Amino acid sequence: MLLKLTVLPGDGIGPEVTEQAVLVLQAVADGFGHQLQLQTKLIGGAALAAANDPLPADTIKACLESSAVLLGAVGSPAFDHNPGHLRPEAGLLRIRRELGAYANLRPAVFFPALEDCSPLRAELVRGTDIMIVRELLGGAYFGSPRSIEGAPGSRVAVNTMRYGESEIERIARVAFELAMKRRRKVLSVDKANVLECSRLWRDVVTRVAKDYPEVKLGHQYVDSAAMLLVQRPTDFDVLLTENMFGDILSDQAGGVVGSLGLLASASVGGPVGLYEPVHGSAPDIAGKGIANPLGAILSVAMMLRHSFQLEAEAVCVEKAVSAVLSQGARTADLAGKAHAAISTTQMGSKVVEAVKAASH
Ligand code: IPM
Ligand code: MG
């Protein structure tokens, strides 16, 4: 199969982790007899610096002509004081929209080898396997009007949280379909005691649930869901959320399983899937060669599964990651006291070796 992709390394640790993810993908392609065709384009701060545009037209075109897009991270303190449309993040939000990627799947799976990494007691976190289904193109991230206006000292800021029934319905269907292939539980998160958007959300999700009688649907206010996520993480199967609640809870889920650096994501629903680790650009550690590449590598596994239907290849990558963790490989975020930390490239190489060993 021809794997035609665009790589958007982006900012901070993005280039370091995507480099390792691409090496793993190359090893998979070699081992399973696929052909990899890559082009690299600019997004975020890197694109602002080069072209004063966080998402140049040429990047959009390349992505739309690919079968899948691999993204590193976006965000740089150098542009913190830019107006909203000239911030790196504007490029990320726009590429999600251009690709129609309304469904962001963020698995948070506990690796048995990482018992010492979770801040939670092993008996609580053991067995955690959550699929966060985050709506990605609506809510406060995209609603208008939005503004900051007025004179310094008396400025007023406005954002708009907006959801239409069809947007809620399509993401709810994604959650229920996934639940059918898992443990058949959906927990829908909202703030229906306060927000109209959430009342509509609960209404529509309840209606969609009627088409999935085998799936057990629960509703939880987001504050309470945040608490349950640390108290009883193994109770969760599919966690369905609007855009901002999903952003927050997915970082928390990363903490629960031991490190945000482990979390991968797939942003799907449109013609071209976008695959990105959940972590950000981490400017504090950028360029040091210590970032954890496993989130990006596991995003490649999701790409193989969701964009190319290459399940065996996806499982090969996931097993390789699991194997190197079991051997004790740890980047700095996972090292703790008992292990010496290895570098980004060393971790990447270990996964490449494990893929090679499994696929030849
Ligand atoms: C994420 C990130 C982004 C988001 C930022 C960088 C815009 O935090 O993918 O979780 O909020 O969606
Ligand atoms: Mg986030």
Side-chain angles (χ1 to χ4, degrees):
M1 185 185 257
L2 174 65
L3 311 178
K4 188 176 174 201
L5 46 140
T6 299
V7 182
L8 307 177
D11 304 323
I13 60 171
E16 302 163 49
V17 298
T18 44
E19 189 187 347
Q20 297 311 310
V22 167
L23 290 172
V24 171
L25 188 57
Q26 186 65 61
V28 171
D30 294 345
F32 287 84
H34 303 298
Q35 191 195 335
L36 193 57
Q37 186 183 315
L38 287 181
Q39 53 180 342
T40 300
K41 294 288 174 187
L42 296 171
I43 192 170
L48 279 166
N52 202 35
D53 180 350
L55 189 68
D58 152 65
T59 298
I60 303 175
K61 185 166 177 288
C63 292
L64 286 169
E65 288 169 2
S66 305
S67 313
V69 178
L70 177 66
L71 181 129
V74 159
S76 160
F79 304 98
D80 271 356
H81 301 291
N82 277 22
H85 69 288
L86 290 178
R87 289 184 58 110
E89 292 80 1
L92 177 56
L93 299 191
R94 185 135 176 251
I95 193 66
R96 288 171 176 170
R97 203 180 58 206
E98 295 283 347
L99 298 180
Y102 66 84
N104 184 211
L105 316 182
R106 300 188 153 185
V109 180
F110 177 68
F111 288 94
L114 297 184
E115 273 189 359
D116 51 326
C117 297
S118 175
L120 301 184
R121 291 198 304 281
E123 71 259 30
L124 281 182
V125 72
R126 205 176 287 142
T128 298
D129 178 359
I130 307 171
M131 176 62 85
I132 299 177
V133 176
R134 171 191 179 195
E135 200 291 324
L136 202 58
L137 297 182
Y141 275 58
F142 290 92
S144 60
R146 56 188 301 156
S147 60
I148 304 182
E149 277 168 8
S154 56
R155 289 173 300 168
V156 173
V158 173
N159 284 102
T160 303
M161 187 184 272
R162 183 189 176 284
Y163 269 103
E165 293 203 42
S166 61
E167 286 171 278
I168 302 169
E169 177 163 347
R170 66 181 181 177
I171 192 69
R173 288 200 183 279
V174 171
F176 284 103
E177 291 291 337
L178 281 167
M180 286 299 289
K181 298 184 200 142
R182 295 173 48 98
R183 302 193 306 279
R184 303 195 171 182
K185 266 166 66 175
V186 170
L187 185 73
S188 174
V189 168
D190 62 42
K191 189 71 187 173
N193 49 347
V194 177
L195 300 174
E196 279 72 13
C197 280
S198 284
R199 292 202 265 274
L200 184 64
W201 181 274
R202 198 175 271 223
D203 218 57
V204 174
V205 172
T206 305
R207 190 178 75 214
V208 172
K210 299 208 168 76
D211 293 340
Y212 300 87
E214 289 130 305
V215 177
K216 187 168 173 286
L217 170 67
H219 301 279
Q220 202 78 46
Y221 297 142
V222 61
D223 47 355
S224 161
M227 180 191 68
L228 290 171
L229 193 55
V230 292
Q231 273 188 337
R232 293 204 301 269
T234 56
D235 278 3
F236 291 77
D237 180 16
V238 173
L239 184 62
L240 168 62
T241 84
E242 65 91 52
N243 201 345
M244 187 150 59
F245 297 160
D247 177 47
I248 298 166
L249 293 177
S250 56
D251 270 37
Q252 190 185 340
V256 165
V257 297
S259 172
L260 185 55
L262 296 166
L263 261 53
S265 91
S267 303
V268 295
V272 180
L274 172 68
Y275 299 85
E276 34 173 327
V278 173
H279 64 70
S281 57
D284 51 326
I285 59 163
K288 295 188 177 159
I290 59 171
N292 185 346
L294 296 180
I297 289 170
L298 290 167
S299 297
V300 160
M302 295 192 83
M303 172 189 289
L304 291 164
R305 174 172 295 126
H306 293 280
S307 279
F308 299 112
Q309 281 72 50
L310 295 173
E311 181 65 22
E313 287 82 341
V315 170
C316 175
V317 173
E318 288 162 352
K319 284 198 169 148
V321 168
S322 196
V324 304
L325 291 173
S326 299
Q327 289 154 19
R330 302 276 189 277
T331 39
D333 54 318
L334 300 170
K337 290 198 183 82
H339 295 87
I342 61 172
S343 69
T344 309
T345 51
Q346 285 170 324
M347 182 63 106
S349 306
K350 283 183 187 291
V351 180
V352 166
E353 290 315 313
V355 164
K356 281 189 179 158
S359 63
H360 278 299

